[in-house]
Amino acid sequence: YLWMTCSFMPFPADFEDSYIMHRYAQNGVDGFMFEWNRNSAPVQGTTGLAWVTLITLVARLTRFNVITVNSYTGLIFAILTLLVVYAASVRNFNRNNRWVAVCTLIPIISSPYFTRISANGLETSITLFFVALSIYLLRFCRGSFREAVGLGLFSGFTALIRPDLPLFPISLYVIAFALNSEGIALRAKNWLWLLLGAVFSGVVSLFLAKIATGTALPLSASLKFAFSDLLLGRLPLSQYNYILGYQLAFLSYLLPLILLALIPMIALDLKESRKYVPIYGACAVYFAYLCTVLPIMDVAYRFQLPVLIGLSFAMVHFF
């Protein structure tokens, strides 16, 4: 994986939005934290508060230039993502065969999107790390009050990574508690504490962003209902050709995993497949969100990767 990232693919793989992060981080290193223009008021112009804060602090401590810090920190979180996916495969789903757990990494590592985002200076790597970590934490969905609150707090604080990221762990744990809790009353209680914990930590996250930058939500949190334009025929013909052609190329990565997930779901009963259902459900919820609120041009790129991370566990389920 490191060879592909650092040799086969461009490294660092700068992306146009990378330069936004570089400017914010450099200004932060020079004493103008969260400022786009120096000696002006702070403004939250990046996707999430956590990544720009982390890059700025690391660059200050190491005294390396922000491009190097941005690229290698992203690479580190990509590696951590792979390690957490492997750990979740072994500890949550298949303790008896570690080689099958290694197979889970193959669709992730072989994705050119994952390879490119590893060092492109955006928050994608840390986003994927928390997606993988949320799947690892599925092992704590056993129905107790403490676990429900803790998972809720974890979910809400991921808003500091991306404003939309809490959607994945919350849907993941809601489905898990629905399957693991016995009785409607216990399910409702777990859901309530989970959502209360998420709301509390989410509000704290917005409050921290408000204090640091003067803005609770970045511009990227605004909803763009481009999907309605697609369905109602408001796009020019050239855009339909682009969307229904090149943009759907990502299915070449996801479709085999979807088929691998469907085969054991059909062949086994719900009891045997129960631990995989929350992941598939969270992937479906997050993918539906992407197709609804993101600019339709962006759906097939790095925003697909949380779904790819989740569906990779279909490898273990199939075996």
Side-chain angles (χ1 to χ4, degrees), residues 267-278:
L268 304 173
D269 59 31
L270 179 61
K271 183 178 180 180
E272 294 174 295
S273 297
R274 178 179 295 177
K275 55 188 176 183
Y276 296 96
V277 172

Side-chain angles (χ1 to χ4, degrees), residues 13-287:
D14 287 333
F15 184 69
E16 54 189 9
D17 290 347
S18 307
Y19 298 97
I20 299 174
M21 185 65 64
H22 295 161
R23 175 167 175 147
Y24 268 106
Q26 187 60 58
N27 285 346
V29 170
D30 295 336
F32 304 95
M33 195 71 177
F34 305 122
E35 295 188 20
W36 177 251
N37 295 315
R38 300 186 180 194
N39 295 309
S40 64
V43 60
Q44 190 173 168
T46 59
T47 302
L49 191 66
W51 187 246
V52 65
T53 304
L54 176 64
I55 297 304
T56 301
L57 294 177
V58 173
R60 275 187 175 182
L61 292 173
T62 61
R63 298 181 182 271
F64 291 126
N65 67 76
V66 294
I67 296 178
T68 299
V69 171
N70 211 13
S71 300
Y72 281 97
T73 305
L75 186 61
I76 289 171
F77 272 98
I79 295 171
L80 291 175
T81 298
L82 296 174
L83 293 174
V84 173
V85 168
Y86 175 79
S89 300
V90 172
R91 298 188 178 183
N92 292 9
F93 305 111
N94 193 341
R95 293 180 177 271
N96 299 324
N97 195 332
R98 296 177 181 270
W99 291 108
V100 174
V102 172
C103 291
T104 311
L105 305 179
I106 294 175
I108 305 172
I109 293 174
S110 61
S111 168
Y113 297 127
F114 183 80
T115 308
R116 288 298 298 270
I117 61 89
S118 297
N120 70 353
L122 300 180
E123 80 293 334
T124 314
S125 287
I126 194 172
T127 299
L128 298 180
F129 169 76
F130 276 93
V131 167
L133 184 60
S134 66
I135 296 173
Y136 178 83
L137 295 178
L138 268 175
R139 59 195 316 200
F140 298 107
C141 289
R142 293 172 298 209
S144 73
F145 159 78
R146 181 180 299 178
E147 290 168 341
V149 172
L151 293 172
L153 292 174
F154 165 81
S155 302
F157 277 122
T158 60
L160 292 172
I161 309 295
R162 282 188 64 90
D164 53 21
L165 183 55
L167 183 64
F168 189 93
I170 288 176
S171 58
L172 185 73
Y173 302 140
V174 164
I175 299 172
F177 280 126
L179 294 174
N180 297 337
S181 302
E182 297 182 359
I184 297 177
L186 184 57
R187 288 186 192 130
K189 182 179 179 181
N190 287 329
W191 288 340
L192 176 62
W193 287 117
L194 172 70
L195 295 176
L196 286 177
V199 169
F200 174 78
S201 56
V203 170
V204 171
S205 299
L206 296 179
F207 181 69
L208 293 175
K210 176 72 173 178
I211 293 176
T213 66
T215 307
L217 285 172
L219 181 63
S220 60
S222 62
L223 303 185
K224 304 173 184 178
F225 290 93
F227 194 58
S228 60
D229 292 334
L230 176 67
L231 295 179
L232 297 176
R234 295 173 179 170
L235 300 176
L237 180 61
S238 61
Q239 295 301 312
Y240 282 96
N241 293 334
Y242 180 73
I243 294 167
L244 300 177
Y246 177 76
Q247 279 291 83
L248 291 182
F250 69 88
L251 284 176
S252 63
Y253 302 103
L254 297 184
L255 189 57
L257 297 176
I258 294 173
L259 293 176
L260 283 180
L262 288 175
I263 292 173
M265 286 291 294
I266 295 172
L268 304 173
D269 59 31
L270 179 61
K271 183 178 180 180
E272 294 174 295
S273 297
R274 178 179 295 177
K275 55 188 176 183
Y276 296 96
V277 172
I279 305 178
Y280 301 152
C283 287
V285 170
Y286 198 73
F287 183 75

